[in-house]
Amino acid sequence: MFDFLKKKLNEVVKKVTDKVAPKEKEKKAKPKKEKETFTSKIVKAFTEINVSSEKVDEIFQEIEIDLLEADVAVEAIDKIKEDLKKEIVGKSIKKSELEKQIRNVFKKTLNEMLDVPKIDLMKKLEKRPTLFVFLGFNGSGKTTTMAKIAYWLQSKKLSCVFAAGDSFRAASIEQLEEHGKKLNVNVIKHQYGADPAAVIFDAVKYAQAKKIDVVLADTAGRTHTNKNLMDQLEKIVRVNKPDLKILVIDSMTGNDIINQCRMFDQAVGVDALVLTKTDVSNKGGSILSAAYVLKKPILFLGTGQSYKDLHEYDPREIAEKLI
Ligand SMILES: Nc1nc2c(ncn2[C@@H]2O[C@H](COP(=O)(O)OP(=O)(O)O)[C@@H](O)[C@H]2O)c(=O)[nH]1
Ligand SMILES: [Mg+2]
């Protein structure tokens, strides 16, 4: 997971270290006159450096591209830079400790960036029935994530029903029924073209009657320009008052993640995120951007195509992996 981002971040740590305190051999133009004595070595090891704010700006101008390549948003890069300044500018730092110190600053910054508000899912799930509605662009992984969450709920001994709220895209109902069959979960559906608000309403009634714990409602994928689909989403929310509106985002989307989330948030309000395809995304900076810029709870990461490939979001674990 996030190998490319990891590689870039570690390269950046090395580059910053080298630029703050260039290695002796790089500076050395003429051959050494004296043999290094034990004392001179010690002195060198203890040589302290002082970094200016301008120096950090200059360094970041050069290395910014590395982070942009890994899909880290500009806002996130600025935070990394400012945090680094706070820790190293105006202080005397031993050369020998510089890299370690930079690494620690990065780790702390990543931890802060990845730290998003939390939702106590088990507490949410105490309500009967709980309604989760899944939102997102076409192909982001809504239906697959719903099925994975059904599997996860079953592992917690909770029952669920699917609402086929995507009555728009061809074969979407059949796709959900496939999952229903494999997971032994009923699907409440209407015809294609039906009003999804009514389908979800029926699924909630069904869950109440059958004492089913959770309703997982699919919706049609939409884009910035689907005005009527956006209106449909508003109706779904107005009629059914979901307990959680979960935005499912493809982590390969790059920094459009931020626009996507803002669009759904403005239209209906986003309570939490799931980031899918973290197993195939070769960049991963999008997760930093999503966490830091959006500050929405992240419930899960999608890590593959089978039902068990759903990983509970753990910021510390990710920060440890990255640096
Ligand atoms: N590798 C990988 N593929 C995923 C993941 N989540 C979804 N997919 C795939 O993405 C494609 C679109 O998923 P789907 O659930 O149909 O998207 P929807 O249009 O939002 O409902 C399917 O081929 C899924 O198998 C994931 O976490 N990892
Ligand atoms: Mg779908």
Side-chain angles (χ1 to χ4, degrees):
M1 225 196 308
F2 311 127
D3 285 344
F4 188 74
L5 176 62
K6 183 176 169 180
K7 187 170 150 252
K8 286 287 171 187
L9 282 169
N10 286 288
E11 272 171 25
V12 162
V13 169
K14 287 238 179 298
K15 280 190 192 173
V16 173
T17 313
D18 286 348
K19 285 176 199 289
V20 170
K23 296 238 168 58
E24 291 303 310
K25 58 176 180 311
E26 284 167 22
K27 289 201 297 192
K28 193 167 57 182
K30 34 190 173 173
K32 233 187 325 182
K33 278 182 236 144
E34 293 167 13
K35 224 178 142 200
E36 268 194 336
T37 63
F38 180 66
T39 330
S40 73
K41 273 190 200 161
I42 296 276
V43 168
K44 199 184 287 166
F46 280 88
T47 303
E48 297 187 340
I49 43 153
N50 236 309
V51 194
S52 68
S53 177
E54 291 72 29
K55 181 75 184 171
V56 177
D57 284 334
E58 188 192 308
I59 291 169
F60 264 75
Q61 260 176 15
E62 287 175 47
I63 57 149
E64 199 170 45
I65 189 75
D66 285 297
L67 294 171
L68 288 170
E69 271 173 9
D71 270 350
V72 181
V74 175
E75 291 96 324
I77 297 177
D78 282 346
K79 172 163 170 66
I80 298 175
K81 183 170 81 179
E82 292 311 316
D83 283 3
L84 189 65
K85 278 187 187 175
K86 261 184 243 157
E87 291 293 329
I88 68 170
V89 168
K91 290 181 189 163
S92 294
I93 300 169
K94 286 182 190 118
K95 266 189 193 174
S96 54
E97 301 213 327
L98 186 63
E99 183 174 339
K100 198 173 124 210
Q101 198 147 345
I102 291 175
R103 213 168 266 285
N104 284 340
V105 178
F106 267 57
K107 205 178 271 188
K108 189 163 153 251
T109 302
L110 287 183
N111 257 313
E112 278 174 30
M113 291 207 292
L114 292 166
D115 187 28
V116 289
K118 286 182 188 63
I119 284 183
D120 186 347
L121 258 190
M122 294 321 285
K123 186 141 188 72
K124 277 267 166 211
L125 288 163
E126 282 169 8
K127 195 183 150 205
R128 292 289 178 273
T130 318
L131 172 61
F132 290 173
V133 171
F134 293 83
L135 321 167
F137 276 27
N138 268 332
S140 65
K142 291 178 296 301
T143 310
T144 311
T145 300
M146 246 173 79
K148 288 176 179 177
I149 290 181
Y151 181 81
W152 180 84
L153 289 168
Q154 289 172 343
S155 77
K156 309 269 176 212
K157 306 272 178 273
L158 291 167
S159 57
C160 59
V161 60
F162 289 144
D166 180 0
S167 53
F168 185 75
R169 195 184 190 184
S172 63
I173 301 178
E174 288 78 3
Q175 187 197 0
L176 194 57
E177 284 180 317
E178 272 307 304
H179 288 302
K181 235 184 268 164
K182 284 184 201 152
L183 293 160
N184 202 18
V185 170
N186 277 331
V187 180
I188 305 302
K189 58 172 183 175
H190 290 183
Q191 311 288 341
Y192 279 102
D195 179 0
V199 179
I200 297 170
F201 187 82
D202 281 358
V204 172
K205 287 275 160 276
Y206 176 88
Q208 282 164 349
K210 302 274 176 185
K211 303 225 178 308
I212 287 166
D213 302 319
V214 189
V215 178
L216 300 175
D218 204 2
T219 62
R222 48 213 80 211
T223 66
H224 308 277
T225 49
N226 293 144
K227 170 81 175 96
N228 54 345
L229 281 175
M230 268 330 219
D231 290 345
Q232 203 183 58
L233 213 49
E234 283 165 50
K235 186 174 175 194
I236 291 176
V237 170
R238 185 164 23 91
V239 171
N240 295 290
K241 301 187 175 47
D243 300 292
L244 275 187
K245 287 156 284 175
I246 300 171
L247 180 64
V248 179
I249 317 189
D250 179 339
S251 58
M252 296 202 290
T253 311
N255 281 312
D256 196 46
I257 283 184
I258 293 161
N259 297 327
Q260 286 187 13
C261 182
R262 288 193 174 140
M263 182 189 79
F264 281 96
D265 208 20
Q266 270 165 17
V268 291
V270 170
D271 301 311
L273 308 177
V274 173
L275 294 174
T276 63
K277 308 184 197 180
T278 61
D279 54 312
V280 279
S281 171
N282 60 355
K283 298 199 169 175
S286 53
I287 192 175
L288 283 185
S289 315
Y292 177 61
V293 182
L294 300 170
K295 281 290 167 230
K296 292 279 184 194
I298 300 174
L299 300 178
F300 295 103
L301 305 179
T303 56
Q305 288 187 293
S306 60
Y307 295 140
K308 61 170 184 11
D309 294 329
L310 188 70
H311 201 78
E312 278 176 66
Y313 178 76
D314 180 352
R316 283 177 139 228
E317 182 194 26
I318 299 172
E320 280 303 319
K321 253 185 208 161
L322 287 176
I323 291 279

